[in-house]
Amino acid sequence: MSFAVTVDLVLLTIREGALSVLLIRRAIPPYQGGSALPGGFVLPEEDLDDAAERELVEETGLRGAGHLEQLGSYGAPGRDPRGRVVTIAYLALVPDAPSPRAGSDAAEADWVPVAALPPLAFDHGRILADGIERARAKLEYTPLAAAFCPPEFTIAELRQVYESVWGTRLDPRNFHRKVTSTDGFVVATGRSTAGERGRPAQLFVRGAAPVLYPPLLRKG
Amino acid sequence: MSFAVTVDLVLLTIREGALSVLLIRRAIPPYQGGSALPGGFVLPEEDLDDAAERELVEETGLRGAGHLEQLGSYGAPGRDPRGRVVTIAYLALVPDAPSPRAGSDAAEADWVPVAALPPLAFDHGRILADGIERARAKLEYTPLAAAFCPPEFTIAELRQVYESVWGTRLDPRNFHRKVTSTDGFVVATGRSTAGERGRPAQLFVRGAAPVLYPPLLRKG
DNA sequence: TGAGTTATCGTCGACTTGACGATATAAGTC
DNA sequence: GACTTATATCGTCAAGTCGACGATAACTCA
């Protein structure tokens, strides 16, 4: 028994304070004209992670920035009308900025706030939901929120990432205390912002800690 | 391009206080005679989760008990000398008891303490390492430790699960307080053990909470 | 009956968290 | 320049949580 194997991307960013996902409009059947996650077939001599990285570069032009991890595999028999297709979904978190480029089999690509999602092709609705939940959970116990930020960022920018992804408000003072006191979360650069409203803020870069200890937990 | 798709199982249990994994001895090439994770090909009309469930039943005879979740996919081009094979790895946590049954292409199957692992075929060493780390992490923020226990269990049994999986000692009094005070972790049955050494212990069943809040964190 | 063993309840200090007051340092306005 | 507005950052305090550990309860075994 042989299968086609694809890689699909749940590509998230924060645009105008809203957690958003990159969706493409399908140029060919099935689901022609419908919205879907970007993705494509794994090449004959390509590792899965490399295929995901390639898709990410194709869609955003970003290389190395942000974060890319495997999300899970989806292979129900009827998920693609063309035949037996297993997809390995990847979760990518990137800073805002890259304008989407049209991929090979995509008519167009665009950022869509996850609060205003259209129906998606295949089982992509489920995959996206899993990706969003993964991102929400990972903010709790890893420093991954910084993947949504530019290389240097303020504590307030980082807080807005949490607020956008979780859909909650966080107290700026308590958040500041937590972030700066958790070992390896962020590292001060010594530089500051200027020209913004209010007191200038210190700039930080992401720290080396792979996990937050103790974690920064959501309510409930 | 077409791929073969298999499902492999990281099947963990606690035997004699040691976290152990089910390994099979390969009856056929490649890696004939070597140790490997149990697994097999996904059937033409079978969903991935169903294939994993089928493998689990074939190996243990268990149905419904324990816990089964997708771990991740592995598909490096050279991982199987027979050709391009992508495997979807699943993590299964089961109570101790089931004696292993020989699978179809396995000469024998046996529980091996993870502290005394032989080299494994294919990339199964990496898959197993990922599975163990997943299990360790999940004990922190989910009530999954109960999946290693029989339907009714004592707080001490649950504590020994944590101690075996994490390889640490936990204070029985603090652990008892934490488990019984965390909402939805365990539910008292009213029954007790009898005939054991020491004071009889209350029996509990797993609670309904999908996650522990607050979590039960490892050191460091 | 006494010794040993395990379960369970309490206590205490250190630490963390959430709520929120106070101050610092900028831009803009008059 | 004085005042307002906005944001960053530091402090304070009470409530909750955690780790270390004492004390007691309820069994088995000899």
Side-chain angles (χ1 to χ4, degrees):
Chain A
M1 178 64 193
S2 77
F3 297 68
V5 176
T6 59
V7 159
D8 287 320
L9 235 50
V10 176
L11 179 46
L12 300 178
T13 198
I14 314 264
R15 281 177 86 82
E16 295 161 13
L19 178 65
S20 304
V21 59
L22 190 77
L23 297 181
I24 57 120
R25 188 160 299 282
R26 289 186 55 80
I28 57 170
Y31 299 98
Q32 185 170 16
S35 293
L37 298 174
F41 290 93
V42 176
L43 301 180
E45 291 300 323
E46 191 178 39
D47 197 355
L48 304 178
D49 290 359
D50 296 336
E53 173 82 18
R54 174 173 56 78
E55 286 292 335
L56 178 58
V57 173
E58 282 176 13
E59 296 293 340
T60 67
L62 283 178
R63 198 183 297 270
H67 170 80
L68 182 62
E69 69 176 39
Q70 196 182 102
L71 175 59
S73 297
Y74 300 79
R79 64 176 294 277
D80 190 320
R82 292 168 294 185
R84 198 67 205 271
V85 181
V86 170
T87 193
I88 323 291
Y90 279 77
L91 176 65
L93 313 180
V94 300
D96 187 12
S99 336
R101 306 177 183 176
S104 49
D105 65 343
E108 21 173 345
D110 232 329
W111 294 105
V112 178
V114 301
L117 287 176
L120 299 186
F122 307 107
D123 49 3
H124 288 187
R126 156 60 74 102
I127 296 174
L128 174 53
D130 290 349
I132 291 170
E133 179 48 36
R134 170 82 64 91
R136 286 184 172 142
K138 278 225 154 185
L139 291 203
E140 291 194 317
Y141 53 93
T142 71
L144 267 188
F148 286 112
C149 297
E152 298 196 348
F153 52 87
T154 66
I155 303 292
E157 287 182 83
L158 194 64
R159 175 167 46 83
Q160 283 153 17
V161 168
Y162 276 89
E163 292 179 338
S164 299
V165 175
W166 285 351
T168 60
R169 308 295 294 178
L170 299 173
D171 183 279
R173 297 157 292 188
N174 292 337
F175 184 82
H176 189 281
R177 177 183 58 192
K178 174 68 180 176
V179 169
T180 53
S181 72
T182 299
D183 219 56
F185 196 169
V186 297
V187 179
T189 62
R191 286 181 288 281
S192 302
T193 58
E196 315 264 333
R197 296 214 301 199
R199 175 175 170 177
Q202 240 186 122
L203 285 168
F204 294 81
V205 295
R206 186 182 156 178
V211 297
L212 301 183
Y213 187 85
L216 204 170
L217 298 172
R218 289 177 277 187
K219 286 288 193 181
Chain B
M1 177 64 192
S2 78
F3 296 69
V5 176
T6 60
V7 159
D8 287 320
L9 235 51
V10 175
L11 180 45
L12 300 177
T13 198
I14 314 266
R15 282 178 84 84
E16 295 160 14
L19 179 64
S20 305
V21 59
L22 190 77
L23 297 180
I24 58 119
R25 187 159 300 279
R26 288 186 56 81
I28 57 171
Y31 300 97
Q32 184 168 18
S35 292
L37 298 174
F41 289 94
V42 177
L43 302 180
E45 292 299 324
E46 191 178 39
D47 197 355
L48 304 178
D49 290 359
D50 296 336
E53 173 83 18
R54 174 172 55 78
E55 286 292 335
L56 178 58
V57 172
E58 282 176 12
E59 297 293 340
T60 66
L62 283 178
R63 198 183 296 271
H67 170 80
L68 182 63
E69 69 175 41
Q70 196 184 102
L71 176 59
S73 297
Y74 301 79
R79 65 176 293 277
D80 190 319
R82 292 169 294 185
R84 198 67 205 270
V85 180
V86 170
T87 192
I88 323 291
Y90 279 78
L91 175 64
L93 313 180
V94 300
D96 187 13
S99 338
R101 305 178 184 176
S104 48
D105 64 346
E108 22 174 345
D110 232 330
W111 294 105
V112 178
V114 300
L117 288 175
L120 299 187
F122 307 107
D123 49 3
H124 287 187
R126 156 60 73 102
I127 297 173
L128 174 54
D130 290 350
I132 291 169
E133 179 48 36
R134 171 80 66 90
R136 286 184 172 143
K138 278 226 155 183
L139 291 203
E140 290 194 318
Y141 54 93
T142 72
L144 268 188
F148 286 111
C149 296
E152 297 195 349
F153 52 88
T154 66
I155 303 292
E157 288 182 83
L158 194 63
R159 176 168 47 82
Q160 285 152 16
V161 168
Y162 277 89
E163 292 179 337
S164 301
V165 175
W166 285 351
T168 60
R169 309 295 294 179
L170 299 174
D171 183 278
R173 297 157 291 188
N174 292 338
F175 183 83
H176 190 279
R177 177 183 58 191
K178 173 70 179 176
V179 169
T180 54
S181 72
T182 300
D183 218 55
F185 195 169
V186 297
V187 179
T189 63
R191 285 181 288 281
S192 302
T193 58
E196 315 266 332
R197 295 214 302 198
R199 175 175 169 176
Q202 241 185 122
L203 286 168
F204 294 81
V205 295
R206 184 181 158 180
V211 296
L212 301 183
Y213 187 85
L216 205 169
L217 298 173
R218 290 177 277 187
K219 285 289 190 182

